[in-house]
Amino acid sequence: MIDEKGELTISSENIMPIIKKWMYSDSDIFLRELVSNAADAISKLKRLVAAGGADISREPGGINADTPFAIRVALDKDARTITVSDDGVGMDADEVRKYINQIAFSGAADFLSKYEAEGANDIIGHFGLGFYSAFMVAERVRIDSLSYREGADAVTWESDGEAEYTLTAGGRTERGTAVTLFVSEDASDFLDEFRLRSILRKYCAFVPYPIYFDAPRAHDHDHDHEHEHDHGHDHGDAPVNNPSPLWLKNPSDVGDAEYIEFFHEVFMDFEDPLFWIHLNMDYPFRLKGILYFPKLKRELDTIEGQVKLFSNQVFVADNIKEVIPEFLLLLKGCLDCPDVPLNVSRSFLQNDGTVSRMSGYITKKIADKLVELWKDSREAYNGYWEDINQFIKYGVVKDRQFFDKAKEALLFKLTDGGSVTAAEYLERFGEKTDGRVIYVTDTARQARYVKLFADQGVEAAVMGTRLDMPYMTYLESYDDKLKFSRIDAELSGAVKTDGESGGDGALVELFVRAAGDDKLTVRTETLKSESVPAVILLAEQNRRMGEIARMMGSGAFPEYGGGETLALNRANPIIKKLSEIAGDEDKAGDAALVAGMVYDLALLSHKPLTNDAMAAFIDRANALMSRALSL
């Protein structure tokens, strides 16, 4: 008969406060630790049976390694207990001493000096402390266990988390272990069925064995020990988890409908994903998972993806950027990495070579998928582009490896709705655009320029987000033949006839006075279209420098590095007439009014008007209407 009392080795009373202090930030993790331990106990037994190291066929029902083992979580609100039980290997007295008393605190002195100094941010999972996470919510913990070994005696271990424990003969009659937590007053919120179910859904949704949850019910509390539990063969309710998540299947055995259903189930997203990648790697590291590409139509900084990291089907955390490249955090998915411990520390992840290789592998698979779609399903890929382009652009800017692998599949959406690569753009339009990719940032505001180019058979790339400027600059830095130019940066051969730019002195002076800007450069051009009187131009380099200055708080960009140029169209009837009357004193008033209106309209297609400029524009418009009606 065992009747043992003792002290946990090496300053247990110093370690428990550290555990409890760490848990204040995430106190529900205790249930993950206990369920994970239960799953490990079952896995160990299955391996022993399969290898001939354990014979459990003698047990009632003649069960074997193929038996549907299970984990049970029971809540007794009246007794203030939470019990996690399994039908795994179980423990005898010596194993309890080894795994609970000794391993937990071996090297405890080093543990204390290291982790207390670091704030104990990642202690759970070290030194066998997974079990001891129970004391974050319990004032007392009891273990009832019976080993799978024939002739083994059941044992009961109990401690209040201080220095002492008791180890006595137990009353359990079925193989396995039950851990009972007597919940402390300050953790009473865990005595809530909904709270516990939520924790199980969060951390244990895909644990590899069925988890059955017993709702609160009245108990006879005269008997303080656990009730007898069956082996999980005939639980009334359905398990709260899915022991066989989709990522464990062979991709060739999974249909589109299954992938989509899994996406909706896990992420509560009512929109279907665009496409997905099923990862399955066994060497040189183990990694399985599914990454989904959701629709990403919003601005980048409002997008929040969700990539769930698991270790042996137990949830670790969302969006751990050391494992998952930062730009992939815009996606949604599940990654199961058995080589990553349940309680990962930043320092471990940053210095672990396997983690680094995983990140590189995931990046490569994403890029390979994009290139595959671009080559084999171009029409579908063109359709995806509007939804995924922000994710891809972000990845290009953030990750050189991703850029190198995916660069041939980078598309540009055109003003006519089509999509082309940079090479395709230059092949189609390069001769007319002087070898540049012409782009627009606002198709509505820049509609006049778009029409000028479209009339000559040239479309522009639509680059209207805040990410596009660094993205274009990045692309230019790795291809000296690739240059981007906004549609109002310069007039290429596509829209003007050959001939020198110049200016009529009286006409130029008229527009400088009408604009009220002595710094404004005015020149004349002969455009191929007669419909446009004038356009405003700002050199591409000046604009980019100005935008950088503006982001850094250095002022409005048009004045930075040189101002704008007003290009007057000699082919336009209005400009022709103004050229004729520019020096006529009798027509000075009419000429000034029309010139001011021409300048305002050109400016409106270039940038927003200031308040004063808008007021002046309205006054001129009213004056012109009055004159037209001879009022």
Side-chain angles (χ1 to χ4, degrees), residues 142 144 156 158 168-171 180 182 222-227:
R142 186 182 67 240
D144 290 284
T156 294
E158 193 165 332
T168 61
T180 301
F182 296 84
D222 294 336
H223 180 55
D224 199 27
H225 286 270
E226 67 158 357
H227 293 279

Side-chain angles (χ1 to χ4, degrees), residues 15-16 19 22-23 26-38 40 84 99-100 103-105 111 122-137 141 143 157 179 181 342-343:
I15 293 178
M16 290 305 171
I19 297 175
W22 178 81
M23 281 308 298
D26 196 6
S27 55
D28 57 4
I29 209 167
F30 79 94
L31 194 54
R32 181 192 75 174
E33 296 295 324
L34 296 180
V35 170
S36 179
N37 286 348
D40 288 345
V84 178
Y99 294 117
I100 302 300
I103 287 185
F105 298 108
F111 163 79
D122 54 4
I123 63 172
I124 304 305
H126 291 268
F127 302 95
L129 286 172
F131 159 72
Y132 280 88
S133 64
F135 287 102
M136 299 159 213
V137 299
V141 177
I143 300 173
W157 177 96
V179 180
L181 284 63
L342 275 184
N343 299 284

Side-chain angles (χ1 to χ4, degrees), residues 283-581:
Y283 182 82
F285 49 81
R286 295 175 292 166
L287 173 66
K288 297 181 185 296
I290 305 170
L291 287 174
Y292 291 93
F293 287 70
K295 294 185 176 181
L296 303 179
K297 288 184 176 178
R298 297 164 292 166
E299 278 287 342
L300 198 61
D301 60 0
T302 67
I303 297 169
E304 182 179 356
Q306 188 180 25
V307 180
K308 296 176 176 291
L309 181 66
F310 296 81
S311 178
N312 284 318
Q313 298 174 232
V314 179
F315 177 74
V316 175
D318 284 322
N319 298 350
I320 297 183
K321 65 181 182 180
E322 284 81 7
V323 176
I324 305 153
E326 185 179 358
F327 72 94
L328 292 180
L329 298 182
L330 301 175
L331 303 184
K332 293 184 177 182
C334 300
L335 296 176
D336 195 344
C337 311
D339 298 317
V340 174
L342 275 184
N343 299 284
V344 290
S345 67
R346 280 279 148 87
S347 59
F348 168 84
L349 292 172
Q350 290 168 354
N351 295 295
D352 185 77
T354 298
V355 169
S356 177
R357 290 194 298 272
M358 282 183 191
S359 179
Y361 168 75
I362 295 168
T363 297
K364 179 182 182 300
K365 295 298 289 186
I366 293 290
D368 289 346
K369 179 68 174 182
L370 295 174
V371 172
E372 175 192 328
L373 287 170
W374 173 68
K375 288 181 176 178
D376 300 337
S377 307
R378 180 62 184 270
E379 185 175 350
Y381 186 67
N382 287 351
Y384 297 148
W385 185 255
E386 183 175 357
D387 294 306
I388 67 173
N389 74 87
Q390 289 296 286
F391 146 74
I392 294 177
K393 291 172 183 175
Y394 186 55
V396 164
V397 173
K398 293 293 291 185
D399 193 313
R400 175 64 189 274
Q401 180 188 358
F402 177 71
F403 167 68
D404 288 339
K405 297 288 185 182
K407 58 186 176 183
E408 61 182 316
L410 303 179
L411 299 184
F412 299 92
K413 182 182 177 183
L414 301 180
T415 44
D416 67 356
S419 297
V420 296
T421 65
E424 291 168 342
Y425 184 94
L426 295 177
E427 183 179 351
R428 285 176 57 182
F429 308 121
E431 188 175 344
K432 294 181 178 180
T433 62
D434 303 331
R436 296 170 293 154
V437 175
I438 303 297
Y439 70 94
V440 295
T441 55
D442 187 330
T443 53
R445 179 174 300 281
Q446 295 155 7
R448 174 176 289 190
Y449 300 89
V450 172
K451 187 176 187 306
L452 270 177
F453 279 82
D455 286 345
Q456 306 307 319
V458 176
E459 301 297 331
V462 180
M463 308 291 278
T465 71
R466 284 175 292 170
L467 182 59
D468 283 319
M469 188 56 66
Y471 173 67
M472 288 185 290
T473 301
Y474 185 91
L475 294 181
E476 289 173 331
S477 70
Y478 287 103
D479 186 349
D480 56 9
K481 296 179 181 178
L482 183 60
K483 299 298 178 186
F484 292 88
S485 181
R486 204 169 88 168
I487 202 165
D488 56 355
E490 190 52 76
L491 297 172
S492 69
V495 296
K496 68 177 182 178
T497 60
D498 293 335
E500 293 185 5
S501 302
D504 180 311
L507 185 64
V508 169
E509 187 177 343
L510 170 66
F511 274 92
V512 170
R513 286 199 307 269
D517 183 1
D518 293 339
K519 297 180 181 179
L520 179 67
T521 299
V522 180
R523 74 175 194 236
T524 59
E525 298 279 4
T526 302
L527 303 186
K528 293 179 179 179
S529 171
E530 297 180 357
S531 63
V532 178
V535 291
I536 295 286
L537 306 175
L538 180 64
E540 182 71 16
Q541 193 61 30
N542 286 2
R543 173 181 293 105
R544 295 198 195 185
M545 293 171 64
E547 289 185 356
I548 293 172
R550 183 173 59 180
M551 286 189 293
M552 297 177 66
S554 301
F557 70 83
E559 291 76 29
Y560 191 93
E564 296 141 325
T565 295
L566 176 65
L568 306 175
N569 182 11
R570 296 191 191 101
N572 178 261
I574 297 173
I575 300 302
K576 288 180 179 179
K577 188 63 177 178
L578 286 175
S579 182
E580 293 174 6
I581 66 173

